Amino acid sequence: MMKITKERARNLNQPLSLINFCTDLNTWMFSPRDKSELPFNTEVIANEIEECKTMTALRMEGNTLGADAAEVIAEALQKHPEFQRAHWSDMFTGRLKTEIPPALKHLGKAIIAAGAGLVELDLSDNAFGPTGVDGLIELLKSPSCYTLKELKLNNNGLGIGGGKILSQCLLDCHKSSCAAGKPLALRVFISGRNRLENDGATALAAAFKAIGTLEEITMPQNGINPPGISALADAIAHNKGLKRLNLNDNTFTVAGAKSIAKVLPHVQKLEVLNFGDCLVRTDGAKVLASAIADSHTSLREVNFSGNEISKPGATAIADAMENKVNLELLDLDSNQLGEDGVEEVKGTMEAINKSDKLGSLSGDEGTDDEDEEEGDVHGEEVEAKEDEDGDAVDDPELQVKGKAISPEKQSVSAKDFLAFPSPTKLIQLGTGRAAALKQELGSDCSDVDKAVQTFIKVSSVVTPVDTKTKEAACDCTDKLFEDLLLDSTEGGASLFANSLLVNMGVLKGEDKKFRPPSSIVGPLTVLEYAVKQPYFPKQSREILSAFITKPHPLLDKSGPARHNLLQTLFKF
């Protein structure tokens, strides 16, 4: 590992970060700058890149790259025809959207001028919107992208417009590459959290259909409804080598589920199927379970969590796992199984000798009568109007008038929530939720580990887009931590930070039976609020900052939640 020293970078110009060169990987890395480090001269960095004999990858995530700096780096980059991988996620922090397209154009032209053949392009977590895609058009249509295998544009705010531009670029690249006898064979496409909606998804589906070589399609949180799901399903049928399909947090309804189920027989190599939070519901679950029941033996991970699925749908999915010899995880959490349904699903998995592959069902939301029809092809919820007075009936013999009486919902206690946490239960605890939780904890409120464990349960039900649940969790966090951290010593601050890291699964604790949460997006989201509060110890912030920056599987898949927390921590 070779490092540029401060002595070699005295004449400061553009504020970039510490740069390292991994000789084993032929990769230049601009790592996020530690506050103790000085910014480095862009020209020094460019000279090092230019003088490097072999550079196949350039890593610039966690920076704030302006157009001028990009132009200087681009001049050095064009000396490397062997260049293949652009790891450029989160490299425009704090930049105006108008600054980003020129920077991307400089870098793209350099790749083209070098005659390089890109294999991977990762621009995730750069919020450049449709405007930013304009800076990529020339590159994506060029021969340098005929070799492209992985395209990662996660959390860029592309919108419908950006999705359409991107689709046309891919179609043009595929057409020209075929004419050149080098057909574009894209394998990985990742574009989550981009609000592509139906029109953007439909446009991209046309590109997927033409390319036909995709092994991974990851498009969570894009506001796609059944018409868009149907278009994607048609494209999926033409990508027979597909191994990973992630459409988490879009809206299927039974109509979208039927569209996907129809094409699943065409993709027998599937290993990961993620339809969590897609409003599949019971009928949709049955249809999809039937489509994979007697096939798809390569499946490793199947996610149907948060889909309002009741017992019949969940047991159908569990039954469909019998021939999945490679199964590692079946996630059916946060559905509406009820106690009987939970036991039946567990029994089904035990009967097929896969009980250890079933994920936690602690977030189950209980049974719910599914009286509403689900056949709306546009995925819109049918809202039943609840009139207080009964409607008059024309037939005097059958006429009934009066007031409808609805049974009161059973109240939720803090004990209920802590036993099986869910967003609904946290809200139902009401405005006194924090006091109720503290009362349930009793003397354990002053126990750091117990208080932190309660915080994890509270924050784990939070998603970044659910502001109501987030506000409730933040209120509980204030009440849990204020008294706990009052006048805390340095030792107490260290113990507190250590407990947070252990209970999130980032550090190993002494309890060998402890099972870390499957996701820490919620805890990181609420911590981003908590670290700004006066009660949060300075030393605890510093310890968190040191560990949250390090690579870890749970942190790596937490994306923007981790990034937002780090940005907040770096302000102190």
Side-chain angles (χ1 to χ4, degrees):
M1 184 80 73
M2 182 175 65
K3 183 184 295 185
I4 292 181
T5 62
K6 293 180 184 179
E7 288 74 16
R8 297 176 65 190
R10 287 176 179 169
N11 298 319
L12 304 180
N13 177 21
Q14 194 74 21
L16 284 170
S17 307
L18 182 65
I19 177 172
N20 295 318
F21 178 61
C22 291
T23 53
D24 292 340
L25 301 176
N26 297 323
T27 304
W28 275 106
M29 301 186 295
F30 294 82
S31 305
R33 185 174 68 244
D34 185 282
K35 291 172 71 173
S36 64
E37 299 286 346
L38 291 171
F40 292 97
N41 188 318
T42 306
E43 292 184 359
V44 172
I45 295 169
N47 288 338
E48 295 289 341
I49 293 174
E50 188 171 337
E51 292 171 8
C52 179
K53 292 182 179 179
T54 303
M55 186 186 75
T56 57
L58 178 61
R59 190 179 295 275
M60 294 196 289
E61 62 245 307
N63 277 290
T64 172
L65 195 67
D68 292 341
E71 186 174 12
V72 174
I73 291 172
E75 289 178 7
L77 183 58
Q78 67 183 357
K79 306 291 176 63
H80 291 282
E82 75 282 4
F83 182 64
Q84 295 179 342
R85 298 182 181 275
H87 300 286
W88 296 346
S89 63
D90 187 25
M91 69 172 185
F92 295 115
T93 302
R95 294 290 171 182
L96 298 174
K97 288 184 179 180
T98 53
E99 294 181 271
I100 298 174
L104 290 173
K105 286 179 181 178
H106 287 314
L107 295 169
K109 286 179 178 178
I111 293 170
I112 296 169
L118 272 185
V119 172
E120 179 181 0
L121 177 59
D122 184 359
L123 284 161
S124 300
D125 299 320
N126 289 301
F128 47 55
T131 308
V133 186
D134 290 337
L136 294 171
I137 292 175
E138 187 177 356
L139 173 62
L140 289 174
K141 290 183 177 183
S142 74
S144 287
C145 281
Y146 291 176
T147 51
L148 193 63
K149 303 297 182 188
E150 301 179 24
L151 180 58
K152 301 174 183 178
L153 293 167
N154 199 60
N155 192 33
N156 296 116
L158 300 181
I160 295 171
K164 288 182 175 180
I165 297 170
L166 179 59
S167 171
Q168 193 57 56
C169 288
L170 292 173
L171 285 168
D172 290 347
C173 182
H174 181 258
K175 183 179 179 179
S176 57
S177 65
C178 287
K182 303 174 182 179
L184 171 65
L186 190 67
R187 289 200 302 256
V188 175
F189 180 85
I190 298 175
S191 183
R193 296 173 57 85
N194 271 311
R195 297 304 307 176
L196 295 169
E197 302 184 16
N198 289 337
D199 290 347
T202 300
L204 284 166
F208 299 163
K209 187 174 179 178
I211 294 168
T213 56
L214 285 165
E215 296 179 9
E216 175 178 355
I217 297 175
T218 295
M219 298 175 68
Q221 295 186 17
N222 271 300
I224 307 170
N225 289 332
I229 298 296
S230 179
L232 287 171
D234 184 37
I236 287 167
H238 290 79
N239 288 267
K240 300 186 186 301
L242 193 66
K243 295 180 180 178
R244 301 177 66 93
L245 178 58
N246 180 352
L247 296 175
N248 189 289
D249 204 5
N250 289 292
T251 304
F252 278 34
T253 72
V254 71
K258 286 179 178 178
S259 297
I260 293 290
K262 190 181 297 183
V263 302
L264 284 177
H266 297 282
V267 282
Q268 290 295 325
K269 294 182 179 180
L270 274 176
E271 296 178 4
V272 176
L273 197 62
N274 188 339
F275 294 156
D277 293 300
C278 284
L279 205 63
V280 167
R281 289 181 168 163
T282 302
D283 287 345
K286 290 178 181 178
V287 171
L288 290 164
S290 178
I292 62 173
D294 299 322
S295 54
H296 297 86
T297 55
S298 297
L299 276 171
R300 294 185 294 103
E301 297 178 19
V302 179
N303 185 347
F304 279 91
S305 64
N307 270 300
E308 298 186 9
I309 299 171
S310 63
K311 181 171 70 173
T315 52
I317 293 169
D319 280 329
M321 298 299 108
E322 184 171 6
N323 66 338
K324 310 301 184 279
V325 294
N326 297 309
L327 187 68
E328 297 173 6
L329 174 66
L330 170 62
D331 190 348
L332 287 168
D333 201 18
S334 302
N335 281 298
Q336 297 172 350
L337 311 186
E339 291 183 11
D340 291 343
V342 168
E343 291 306 313
E344 188 162 334
V345 167
K346 288 181 177 179
T348 300
M349 293 298 285
E350 186 174 353
I352 61 175
N353 296 316
K354 288 183 170 61
S355 58
D356 59 328
K357 310 303 181 186
L358 180 63
S360 171
L361 296 174
S362 62
D364 187 68
E365 297 176 0
T367 57
D368 187 43
D369 294 331
E370 297 184 336
D371 296 328
E372 296 180 8
E373 292 295 325
E374 302 180 84
D376 183 0
V377 295
H378 297 295
E380 297 175 356
E381 293 293 311
V382 179
E383 297 182 2
K385 184 179 180 181
E386 299 177 356
D387 290 327
E388 203 171 274
D389 294 315
D391 292 331
V393 181
D394 290 338
D395 188 341
E397 295 295 325
L398 300 176
Q399 193 175 77
V400 179
K401 292 183 180 180
K403 291 190 175 182
I405 301 176
S406 300
E408 292 184 4
K409 289 187 176 180
Q410 186 177 359
S411 60
V412 174
S413 68
K415 186 175 182 179
D416 294 332
F417 171 80
L418 292 173
F420 299 102
S422 74
T424 304
K425 288 178 184 174
L426 184 63
I427 298 301
Q428 287 177 352
L429 280 173
T431 54
R433 59 181 68 87
L437 288 169
K438 290 190 72 173
Q439 185 176 354
E440 181 64 27
L441 280 175
S443 60
D444 284 340
C445 281
S446 57
D447 184 308
V448 171
D449 283 332
K450 296 292 184 183
V452 168
Q453 287 162 11
T454 303
F455 161 75
I456 296 295
K457 289 185 176 183
V458 170
S459 59
S460 290
V461 304
V462 172
T463 58
V465 294
D466 185 354
T467 54
K468 189 175 181 181
T469 304
K470 180 182 175 183
E471 287 172 2
C474 290
D475 177 54
C476 292
T477 299
D478 284 340
K479 301 300 188 294
L480 283 169
F481 287 167
E482 276 175 344
D483 292 340
L484 179 72
L485 300 173
L486 186 66
D487 301 324
S488 63
T489 62
E490 285 192 8
S494 298
L495 182 65
F496 172 63
N498 184 73
S499 184
L500 282 170
L501 293 165
V502 168
N503 283 285
M504 285 194 295
V506 177
L507 281 181
K508 286 187 178 181
E510 296 178 0
D511 185 359
K512 293 182 179 179
K513 294 182 180 179
F514 172 72
R515 292 184 64 184
S518 58
S519 169
I520 55 172
V521 170
L524 293 178
T525 300
V526 179
L527 272 178
E528 196 263 330
Y529 161 83
V531 297
K532 295 184 286 189
Q533 306 312 310
Y535 59 72
F536 208 93
K538 177 177 179 290
Q539 188 174 357
S540 298
R541 291 193 195 101
E542 292 172 351
I543 294 171
L544 284 178
S545 180
F547 281 94
I548 300 298
T549 55
K550 293 182 177 180
H552 189 282
L554 282 170
L555 292 168
D556 294 342
K557 68 180 183 179
S558 298
R562 176 195 199 181
H563 172 73
N564 292 338
L565 174 57
L566 283 174
Q567 277 196 319
T568 300
L569 288 169
F570 287 154
K571 290 178 182 177
F572 289 93

